Amino acid sequence: MTRLLKVLFVLFLASKISAQDHPLTYYLPDIEYDQSIPTPKEYLGWQIGDWHISHDLLQGYMKHLAEKSDRVYIEQYARSHEGRPLMGMIFTSPENHKNIDQIKADQTKIITGKGAADRPVVIYQGYSIHGNESSGANAAVLIAYYLAAAQSTEVIDLLKEAVVIVDPVFNPDGLNRFASWANTHKSKTLNPDTQAREFDEAWPGGRTNHYWFDLNRDWLPLVHPESIGRLEMFHTWKPNILTDHHEMGSDNSFFFQPGIPSRTNPITPQKNQDLTLEIAKYHAAELDKLGSMYYSQESFDDFYYGKGSTYPDVNGCVGILFEQASSRGHLRQTKNGIMSFPFTIRNQVATSLSTQKAGYALRKDLKSFQTNFYKTKAPSTQAYLIEEKHDQSRLEKFVDLLLKHQIKVYKKSNDKYVVPLEQAQHRLIETIFEKNTTFRDSLFYDVSTWTMPLAFNLKTSKKSGLTWKDSERVKNTSVSIGKMMGKSNYGYVFKWDDYYSPKFLYAIQKSGLRTKVAAKPFSMQIADKTVEFTYGSIIVPIQNQHLTATEIHELLKRNLKNTHIEVYPIETGFTSVGVDLGSPSIKSIDMPKVALVVEGSVTSYDAGEVWHLLDQTYNIPVSLVESHRINTKSLLQYNTVILVNGARPNASALKSWVERGGILITCKSATAWAINNGLANASQKKKSNGTSSQSKSYINAANELGAQYVGG
């Protein structure tokens, strides 16, 4: 009976909490607000925290604020893959708004070391780059109202001296996916039971964007439109502080930076960390007022520059990570007691306000640091030489990435570019090109190295004595158009070197052309020149096609845009060296019909990477097939099945399908699974776990385990 009473009492408390209507002062200072500016509750019909706000409602309210207040306007900087707008709300005084174009123009001069001392301090506040860490986006709504409507001297003074950019949600697709889940499973009587469906999102969850990519790792590689647009906004405004509001495990408290001191990137100036620590005192003061528990200088690091809290550190800005223990739903049982969604939002609001207070109080120090950051010269006159002889498309993609990061690049030839270190972004250049193998502290929360040229498979070298001219500077990568090297009535051949070769091949296959692939190399005389074609070269015969020779020529030419592919005409099947074109080694290629196995134990990051590559880069349709749907009948539709990390579909059905000629592609743990289930004839090499019979202290257990793992 006693246990039943306890259960009833917990449910009673939950129902009382759910019935509470938190006043605005639960979140924001109890001050005078402009009555002509609608509160979030007046616009939505419910108080922030009662529900998880969806992106459409958030966007609608922000636009309404911009219509009602002369303190704010909106800059839309991108659209997500699902077409949702991403925006920065630009808050400053009405007087500053009159000169906003000049203020923006002045900000762009900072990189030259000529930033005016009296320029406004710029505070960029960003929220919920992980969609299911939604306390940030919901807090952003309250912060936007506060900046638009608050009548206190503190806010008025802040807006005179500062431009505050509120970026309410970095990941609108993920946020909307999560809000829908949490709201769909919310009960009128809130239940904190952690086993409830509300707290267990369906695969792939709301953390990632449309293609299941973790956008907080995309500040450096810039793969997705959300990141590309955001970085352009960042470099337009050159903020002095950028905050990145996240959530972490529910049994934690609240974290703010600095992170672990020994895990700070050595390229980051010490002054950056000193300012981070000074700003941290303001966060502590605000959280102390609420009685909220928190910690700092522990658990997280400041090493990988591809995250939102660290990319600013290599750009003269102070990046700050916030991590709030997550309620995940509306009310949740934790080791620290029952935690409500409104409580998590309140902590995010408090540290947003403390950031503004710190930015205002430390504005002179922040601006001085930024100016001096860009005045610091590179250590030498050295430069990086980038070379790639066979794949100019891949080379140009890398150059385009550098340009997006405001790095100066000079073109020496089609296959060579120079990146001098004598420029403002020399620190960022070093971290993009560096090949570090030793570290002060080799334990990392996240990625330990990120040598970008290696990711692009490019040859680079650091040299002295290289020269470059202003006329060679690359302003933008040109729209590439491949070449038709002539017209033929017999056939065409192209190499498989170009990054976009799969896209080109699929496009012509989709048009109904028969294509063949060389399983052995050959050479041909073309226009009095010997051209070598190696494995994987593609042949397009003219005869027995549904198009005429002229139509085939035009089709190939039309699809060469945005590639560097050279298509060679051939007038004979008789080669000078190697197999002839009618050889059994010249094999017919079927147009791929691809199934990518998803859900279940499949790692969504890996599945999303494959989906994005085939869909966005190569325009190849992909069927996302749930693991439990893989059977003998369903496989008949496909000639290619891709299994990524964690995939465990029907092994017997796949084995029969492979024996009939199906192509199975496996990645990571799916390869071991395929071997163990007789789908591949291969052996596995086992890694030593580094165990020792020597006893070890418990206090070092986390570090011992961390030393066996490279994060990221």
Side-chain angles (χ1 to χ4, degrees):
M1 186 67 178
T2 304
R3 181 170 179 174
L4 176 60
L5 287 173
K6 287 181 178 178
V7 171
L8 290 172
F9 182 66
V10 168
L11 291 174
F12 170 75
L13 285 178
S15 65
K16 293 295 287 183
I17 292 172
S18 68
Q20 289 177 358
D21 183 6
H22 291 291
L24 192 63
T25 51
Y26 176 77
Y27 299 109
L28 293 173
D30 188 5
I31 57 176
E32 181 183 350
Y33 292 89
D34 185 342
Q35 297 299 304
S36 69
I37 306 293
T39 67
K41 184 177 181 180
E42 288 170 342
Y43 180 85
L44 298 169
W46 43 268
Q47 183 62 284
I48 291 292
D50 290 352
W51 297 90
H52 286 255
I53 196 166
S54 59
H55 183 261
D56 56 331
L57 290 177
L58 181 149
Q59 180 193 19
Y61 180 66
M62 297 308 199
K63 287 184 174 180
H64 197 58
L65 282 183
E67 291 170 359
K68 295 290 185 180
S69 173
D70 60 357
R71 296 177 179 178
V72 58
Y73 76 94
I74 292 174
E75 289 186 4
Q76 180 179 318
Y77 62 77
R79 281 190 177 270
S80 69
H81 285 295
E82 294 178 14
R84 293 186 174 92
L86 290 99
M87 58 189 180
M89 302 189 70
I90 316 300
F91 288 94
T92 192
S93 67
E95 292 75 19
N96 284 341
H97 272 299
K98 294 175 183 176
N99 301 310
I100 201 71
D101 290 338
Q102 185 60 50
I103 291 172
K104 286 177 71 174
D106 290 343
Q107 290 299 111
T108 62
K109 298 176 183 177
I110 292 169
I111 199 168
T112 66
K114 298 178 181 178
D118 61 348
R119 69 185 187 274
V121 65
V122 180
I123 304 168
Y124 195 133
Q125 299 188 281
Y127 301 86
S128 296
I129 202 163
H130 297 141
N132 59 3
E133 299 177 3
S134 62
S135 60
N138 285 266
V141 177
L142 293 158
I143 291 300
Y145 170 74
Y146 172 78
L147 291 171
Q151 297 299 299
S152 66
T153 302
E154 183 178 36
V155 174
I156 292 170
D157 288 346
L158 169 71
L159 295 179
K160 285 180 180 177
E161 298 289 343
V163 172
V164 181
I165 302 171
V166 175
D167 197 328
V169 52
F170 285 148
N171 178 8
D173 294 348
L175 179 85
N176 222 61
R177 191 158 64 242
F178 174 69
S180 178
W181 179 269
N183 291 336
T184 296
H185 297 94
K186 178 190 175 185
S187 299
K188 177 176 177 289
T189 304
L190 300 184
N191 185 350
D193 179 8
T194 57
Q195 296 188 81
R197 196 161 190 256
E198 179 182 3
F199 307 112
D200 187 18
E201 292 175 81
W203 193 98
R207 176 181 176 88
T208 51
N209 77 339
H210 177 77
Y211 284 99
W212 311 329
F213 193 91
D214 185 338
L215 290 175
N216 196 40
R217 274 69 181 172
D218 199 30
W219 287 74
L220 203 58
L222 296 179
V223 173
H224 296 272
E226 301 95 326
S227 309
I228 295 168
R230 182 175 64 250
L231 200 77
E232 187 175 349
M233 167 81 82
F234 176 90
H235 283 300
T236 295
W237 282 101
K238 290 287 186 293
N240 301 96
I241 301 175
L242 185 142
T243 59
D244 193 14
H245 291 255
H246 287 251
E247 291 180 357
M248 56 182 168
S250 301
D251 292 326
N252 291 289
S253 59
F254 190 96
F255 169 85
F256 51 80
Q257 284 179 319
I260 299 173
S262 63
R263 299 180 196 172
T264 300
N265 195 302
I267 293 177
T268 300
Q270 182 58 42
K271 183 64 175 176
N272 171 284
Q273 293 295 288
D274 295 342
L275 286 167
T276 304
L277 187 58
E278 283 300 308
I279 295 169
K281 296 173 184 177
Y282 289 81
H283 308 322
E286 288 298 309
L287 293 173
D288 285 342
K289 291 178 188 177
L290 302 179
S292 295
M293 303 299 288
Y294 55 85
Y295 68 101
S296 186
Q297 296 182 294
E298 191 179 352
S299 297
F300 298 92
D301 57 50
D302 264 341
F303 203 94
Y304 173 50
Y305 283 135
K307 295 189 295 187
S309 61
T310 43
Y311 183 81
D313 296 343
V314 76
N315 284 277
C317 178
V318 177
I320 299 174
L321 170 67
F322 296 117
E323 294 274 359
Q324 164 64 47
S326 178
S327 67
R328 277 296 184 264
H330 293 85
L331 192 71
R332 185 186 178 98
Q333 180 68 53
T334 76
K335 290 180 180 179
N336 297 314
I338 294 177
M339 177 169 56
S340 71
F341 184 42
F343 171 80
T344 67
I345 296 170
R346 184 172 64 161
N347 283 343
Q348 300 278 28
V349 170
T351 48
S352 298
L353 297 177
S354 62
T355 300
Q356 294 168 11
K357 291 178 180 179
Y360 177 79
L362 302 172
R363 60 191 185 278
K364 291 183 179 178
D365 291 336
L366 289 163
K367 289 186 287 186
S368 175
F369 165 68
Q370 187 181 54
T371 300
N372 292 331
F373 179 92
Y374 284 115
K375 280 183 177 178
T376 305
K377 301 298 182 183
S380 70
T381 58
Q382 291 181 321
Y384 282 97
L385 179 66
I386 316 167
E387 300 176 87
E388 171 53 47
K389 293 182 178 179
H390 302 292
D391 188 351
Q392 199 172 337
S393 291
R394 184 159 33 91
L395 180 58
E396 283 191 359
K397 277 182 70 69
F398 181 66
V399 170
D400 184 62
L401 174 67
L402 298 179
L403 297 180
K404 285 183 171 69
H405 287 291
Q406 293 203 334
I407 292 171
K408 295 177 183 177
V409 183
Y410 298 83
K411 184 174 184 178
K412 301 299 290 182
S413 64
N414 284 339
D415 57 5
K416 289 184 182 179
Y417 289 82
V418 173
V419 181
L421 277 171
E422 281 193 320
Q423 56 176 298
Q425 293 290 65
H426 63 87
R427 292 183 180 88
L428 185 57
I429 294 167
E430 287 283 23
T431 198
I432 285 175
F433 284 85
E434 68 184 355
K435 296 180 181 178
N436 282 355
T437 55
T438 59
F439 306 93
R440 180 170 58 149
D441 185 338
S442 62
L443 300 181
F444 295 97
Y445 170 75
D446 210 330
V447 184
S448 57
T449 187
W450 51 91
T451 309
M452 297 301 289
L454 295 183
F456 282 76
N457 196 25
L458 297 173
K459 179 183 176 182
T460 61
S461 53
K462 196 175 184 180
K463 295 179 177 287
S464 297
L466 291 172
T467 60
W468 54 89
K469 303 173 184 176
D470 289 341
S471 60
E472 297 171 337
R473 184 176 172 186
V474 182
K475 300 293 184 180
N476 57 272
T477 51
S478 58
V479 176
S480 307
I481 299 178
K483 295 179 182 178
M484 293 295 294
M485 307 301 286
K487 187 176 179 181
S488 173
N489 290 314
Y490 187 86
Y492 297 93
V493 59
F494 62 92
K495 299 177 182 180
W496 196 248
D497 294 338
D498 193 85
Y499 180 70
Y500 294 107
S501 293
K503 178 180 179 180
F504 180 63
L505 173 59
Y506 186 83
I508 60 179
Q509 286 183 321
K510 188 177 179 181
S511 298
L513 290 189
R514 291 186 304 104
T515 55
K516 291 178 172 290
V517 61
K520 290 184 179 179
F522 61 91
S523 299
M524 298 195 76
Q525 290 295 120
I526 300 175
D528 299 326
K529 184 174 75 171
T530 299
V531 183
E532 296 179 357
F533 297 96
T534 188
Y535 305 94
S537 295
I538 304 298
I539 297 96
V540 183
I542 297 296
Q543 299 305 314
N544 201 23
Q545 302 273 22
H546 73 289
L547 299 177
T548 66
T550 299
E551 289 172 333
I552 291 173
H553 181 269
E554 291 303 313
L555 173 67
L556 296 174
K557 184 177 180 180
R558 190 164 59 246
N559 283 287
L560 282 174
K561 187 177 180 182
N562 295 326
T563 78
H564 282 284
I565 297 170
E566 294 181 340
V567 178
Y568 293 89
I570 47 178
E571 301 301 337
T572 177
F574 192 66
T575 64
S576 53
V577 177
V579 298
D580 294 326
L581 298 190
S583 163
S585 296
I586 305 297
K587 300 179 180 296
S588 295
I589 316 172
D590 293 329
M591 187 170 71
K593 297 176 182 177
V594 182
L596 172 63
V597 176
V598 298
E599 289 215 344
S601 56
V602 173
T603 304
S604 60
Y605 294 144
D606 294 308
E609 179 183 0
V610 173
W611 180 23
H612 180 271
L613 176 70
L614 296 180
D615 187 33
Q616 285 284 327
T617 304
Y618 294 150
N619 292 346
I620 298 176
V622 185
S623 295
L624 308 178
V625 182
E626 296 167 343
S627 185
H628 69 273
R629 294 185 182 276
I630 295 295
N631 56 50
T632 302
K633 184 178 179 180
S634 67
L635 286 171
L636 294 175
Q637 302 178 60
Y638 312 108
N639 57 23
T640 307
V641 172
I642 302 174
L643 305 182
V644 299
N645 200 28
R648 307 281 188 274
N650 186 321
S652 61
L654 269 176
K655 188 172 184 180
S656 299
W657 175 82
V658 169
E659 288 171 347
R660 294 194 305 271
I663 299 169
L664 180 65
I665 300 172
T666 64
C667 310
K668 295 188 178 179
S669 70
T671 300
W673 177 87
I675 293 169
N676 293 334
N677 283 276
L679 288 158
N681 184 18
S683 60
Q684 302 174 63
K685 184 174 181 180
K686 301 212 169 168
K687 182 180 75 171
S688 170
N689 58 13
T691 56
S692 170
S693 59
Q694 183 179 357
S695 62
K696 299 175 183 179
S697 61
Y698 173 76
I699 194 67
N700 291 325
N703 286 344
E704 292 281 352
L705 290 171
Q708 309 302 317
Y709 173 75
V710 178

